[in-house]
Amino acid sequence: MTTVLAGHAAPDFTLHDASGKTVSLADALKKGPVVAAFFKITCPVCQFTFPFLERLHKAYGTDGATFLGISQDDVADTKDFLFEYRVTFPAAIDDDGYPASNAYGLTTVPTVFLIAPDGKVLVSSVGFAKNDLEQISAEIGKHLKREPAPLFMPGEVVPESKPG
């Protein structure tokens, strides 16, 4: 669960990514909408969800939408996760005490937020929810004034949801 729902203001955060670079939500929002995906490397639903997020990143990540994983693990394990699941968007490390996760009131991962450039949450998704990912694609497409990118391939069997 999360205490930050669609329509709420997204709490700002400043973290370091897996390469040590400082990243903040405020800076990312200056470039357009942000998909912030909180995860833990041992979470099977995170492992299932992140390849779909990577598909969205490949469709929109160079056109003004920022994708950022927020890992509840250390740098080495986070880098291994990104490599194993072929994730090319950056991941920030939620430092000791999980300040970003706590600001969002998280009790479950994965939790994915689509945050509009004005800082309002457009989509708040806990676990894997096919409809929520399709809504994220539609909202980013609308922001970029183009058709939503297809997320699921014809004939691909994808469950409607998986709890986190």
Side-chain angles (χ1 to χ4, degrees), residues 103-118:
Y104 282 75
L106 298 186
T107 58
T108 304
V109 288
T111 300
V112 181
F113 299 94
L114 174 61
I115 305 164
D118 67 0

Side-chain angles (χ1 to χ4, degrees), residues 75-124:
V75 171
D77 288 341
T78 298
K79 285 181 176 181
D80 289 346
F81 177 91
L82 297 175
F83 179 78
E84 181 175 350
Y85 293 97
R86 296 184 173 95
V87 175
T88 62
F89 57 87
I93 308 302
D94 203 2
D95 299 318
D96 291 337
Y98 307 122
S101 296
N102 289 330
Y104 282 75
L106 298 186
T107 58
T108 304
V109 288
T111 300
V112 181
F113 299 94
L114 174 61
I115 305 164
D118 67 0
K120 295 282 188 207
V121 174
L122 297 174
V123 178
S124 175

Side-chain angles (χ1 to χ4, degrees), residues 31-35 57 60-67 114 140 143-144:
K31 301 172 193 163
V34 173
V35 176
H57 173 252
Y60 297 117
T62 59
D63 291 337
T66 299
F67 287 74
L114 174 61
I140 295 173
H143 175 79
L144 298 175

